[in-house]
Amino acid sequence: MAEDKKRIVSIDALRGFDMVLLSGGAAVLWHLCREGWGNEVPAWLAGQFRHAEWGCGFTCWDLVMPLFLFITGCSMPVAFERYRQQGWLCTMWRVLRRVALLFVLGMVVQGNLCSGNTQQMSLFCNTLQAIAAGYLISSVVLLLWEWRGQLTSCVVLLGVYWGLLRFVPYNGSPGGLFLPNDNLAYYIDCTLQGHWQDGTPYTWILTSLAFGAMTLIGVLGGGVLFRLSGCRAVVLLALSGILCLGLALLLEMDTPLIKHLFTSTMVLWSGGWCLLLLAAFHLVFDMLPCTRYFAFPFQVVGCNALLAYMLTNTPGIGGRSLWGSLVYPLFRWAENPLLYECLSYTLLWLILYFLYRHRAFLRV
């Protein structure tokens, strides 16, 4: 689909930065570390390239998913200004269509939809579906309220999710359990999804409240960029990020920070870092025109983030992704893992660049 609308550089660059990590950039960085340290990569650094164990802190890799939710929210305020001109029914049709498409694509990527075997399929199990849930909740809030109502809705979602996990008993178990495979959100997933549940400790249905709150933090952050400019926007975003981090530290005394469960503490902690990243990207790429060309490699990926995600995360052949299956015959001669990853990602970026030059973007 052709895309001619004026875009905010920092939002596209931040989206691209996140997708670069997920679609191969993190693999390149990991192999660079391996080249530099050999097999003695420091444990603290190696840990940043994988998710933290249940209830054992927070890593850089844990930020990738919430950052996608956050960025989805960032671009919503300006989009909904256009949608409102088309009427409420038309807007809701666009929202529901997008939610349905993201949900189906999530099943393609991680739910074994293409296997054709319903016994192997998982219904609600992927980041795209979390984005769909967060987008749906945030869309309703955006249509009903301005920023004060959006902020209130975010706080209410976090409070309700916290209260349900903390106090509601289930299936003979007391409320307040935050154990793998033994918490209210996991019980609801298993009960409602049955054999469609993916067998992991990640939770989705009740956790959609947290996905909505995370997306609304992005809506509020994007709203700051659209209403303010320059240093005022940077300062407000940075202070908001610091406030979220502080609230997360306070809430962690009661509720652990668990990425798999996406607890309210996790939302506040990751939301704080997302706001600080948006402030930094706005400062560097929107306020300093001389640095904008540094954002270009990220913009190329960010403007076609969905395509990059589908290519590099949809299952392919031999345990590789779809993209890996395509490029392996081309670069299997590269015995050095770093060289292989660099060649693979360079080719992917060039394809995305070709589409970018021709204003062709995959949208839902």
Side-chain angles (χ1 to χ4, degrees), residues 119-298:
Q119 296 301 315
Q120 297 179 359
M121 293 181 190
S122 300
L123 186 61
F124 198 169
C125 59
N126 180 259
T127 297
L128 291 179
Q129 296 167 322
I131 291 173
Y135 178 76
L136 177 60
I137 293 171
S138 299
S139 297
V140 174
V141 172
L142 261 170
L143 288 172
L144 293 176
W145 296 295
E146 298 298 328
W147 73 268
R148 290 182 179 84
Q150 295 161 16
L151 177 59
T152 302
S153 299
C154 181
V155 173
V156 168
L157 287 170
L158 288 174
V160 169
Y161 186 54
W162 168 80
L164 291 173
L165 289 179
R166 189 70 177 79
F167 300 111
V168 175
Y170 59 94
N171 196 34
S173 297
L177 294 181
F178 295 95
L179 303 174
N181 304 334
D182 192 6
N183 55 76
L184 177 63
Y186 183 78
Y187 172 72
I188 290 175
D189 274 6
C190 291
T191 301
L192 297 182
Q193 296 198 68
H195 74 273
W196 297 85
Q197 202 269 346
D198 65 357
T200 73
Y202 285 92
T203 59
W204 304 93
I205 296 175
L206 183 63
T207 309
S208 293
L209 297 173
F211 299 152
M214 188 72 230
T215 309
L216 279 172
I217 292 175
V219 169
L220 292 164
V224 170
L225 292 187
F226 297 126
R227 287 192 299 269
L228 303 177
S229 61
C231 292
R232 289 188 300 168
V234 171
V235 170
L236 182 55
L237 288 171
L239 290 177
S240 300
I242 293 171
L243 176 62
C244 285
L245 293 177
L247 292 173
L249 291 174
L250 290 175
L251 186 58
E252 195 174 16
M253 298 178 186
D254 175 84
T255 302
L257 191 159
I258 303 173
K259 194 268 180 185
H260 302 71
L261 193 54
F262 226 80
T263 58
S264 296
T265 310
M266 166 71 183
V267 174
L268 288 169
W269 185 255
S270 57
W273 286 112
C274 289
L275 287 165
L276 289 173
L277 279 173
L278 183 60
F281 272 61
H282 179 57
L283 173 64
V284 174
F285 298 128
D286 291 331
M287 294 177 59
L288 304 174
C290 61
T291 65
R292 288 193 176 188
Y293 65 93
F294 290 113
F296 181 70
F298 296 130

